Amino acid sequence: MGKVYERIDGRLRTFIEAQKIFFTATAPLSGDGTVNLSPKGLSGSFAVLDEHTVAYLDFAGSNAETIAHLRENGRITLMWCAFEGPPNIVRVHGRGEPVFRDDPRWTELLGHFPGIDGSAHGLRAVIVVTAELIRDTCGYGVPFMTYDEDRPLHRSRFERETDESLDAYFHKKEHVARSIDGLPGLPLPLPPLPAS
């Protein structure tokens, strides 16, 4: 039986922070727009900021659908599944905002992710989500799976990029500056990473 929570704390917070992967879902306002569902999972790239706010790091990739949808309407759902231990699924429905490299909040937000070298992964935004509805469900249909380790491929691909070459990479990708549906995505040119 599912339960609704008023805040992210206690066992709920412990469960969320222990998961090795979570999923984000967003959609444009247009009824025929493309719904986006993305897995996120690099260790240390998710943080609970307070009882109603979470954040995760948005790294380089060949699309920017989540950013585009959040810029248009802010709607987002995050989901975690228990792949080991007792069955559980937790969803946080809320409003999200991409915070970009040139935002005055950038440095403070990065302080919540001490184990991540953003320059090694082409860090382009911090996604901040304010929870409006927090709930869990049984998760009986989720299979048992074990975590071995993070894949090293993302880091090995993007750690050699400079701010300039990363900007050039994004300019070459069809769905970074604009979404699949033509919404504004990642603002370009990419601002340099602030000095740490």
Side-chain angles (χ1 to χ4, degrees):
M1 203 62 178
K3 180 179 176 182
V4 173
Y5 297 84
E6 291 186 13
R7 62 188 57 85
I8 302 167
D9 63 1
R11 285 186 294 180
L12 182 69
R13 178 174 180 163
T14 299
F15 171 78
I16 288 173
E17 291 178 332
Q19 303 315 303
K20 298 297 185 181
I21 186 171
F22 66 98
F23 301 87
T24 67
T26 59
L29 291 176
S30 170
D32 60 355
T34 306
V35 176
N36 188 64
L37 177 65
S38 294
K40 307 292 179 186
L42 186 63
S43 294
S45 64
F46 173 83
V48 176
L49 305 188
D50 61 41
E51 293 178 336
H52 297 99
T53 314
V54 299
Y56 69 89
L57 301 179
D58 181 80
F59 298 113
S62 55
N63 292 291
E65 298 302 301
T66 300
I67 286 174
H69 296 160
L70 294 180
R71 290 182 70 191
E72 184 203 35
N73 62 66
R75 298 176 306 162
I76 188 168
T77 298
L78 308 180
M79 183 184 79
W80 296 262
C81 300
F83 294 110
E84 55 189 18
N88 195 17
I89 298 171
V90 172
R91 290 178 180 87
V92 171
H93 306 267
R95 310 298 289 181
E97 175 191 11
V99 176
F100 300 114
R101 293 169 163 208
D102 55 355
D103 190 294
R105 298 169 290 171
W106 179 266
T107 302
E108 179 184 348
L109 283 169
L110 283 189
H112 293 279
F113 307 94
I116 294 285
D117 176 1
S119 64
H121 292 279
L123 181 59
R124 57 189 188 179
V126 179
I127 307 298
V128 179
V129 177
T130 302
E132 295 179 335
L133 174 63
I134 306 160
R135 62 191 183 95
D136 70 2
T137 52
C138 68
Y140 291 169
V142 176
F144 284 113
M145 292 191 285
T146 57
Y147 168 78
D148 293 328
E149 62 185 17
D150 286 351
R151 293 178 191 260
L153 298 174
H154 194 275
R155 181 184 184 110
S156 66
R157 164 60 187 91
F158 288 101
E159 67 184 348
R160 62 182 180 258
E161 299 286 356
T162 64
D163 288 336
E164 295 78 19
S165 66
L166 193 59
D167 181 67
Y169 168 83
F170 290 146
H171 272 91
K172 290 179 193 172
K173 297 296 179 182
E174 183 179 4
H175 299 299
V176 170
R178 300 207 74 71
S179 75
I180 292 170
D181 300 313
L183 297 172
L186 184 69
L188 296 175
L190 184 70
L193 276 174
S196 41

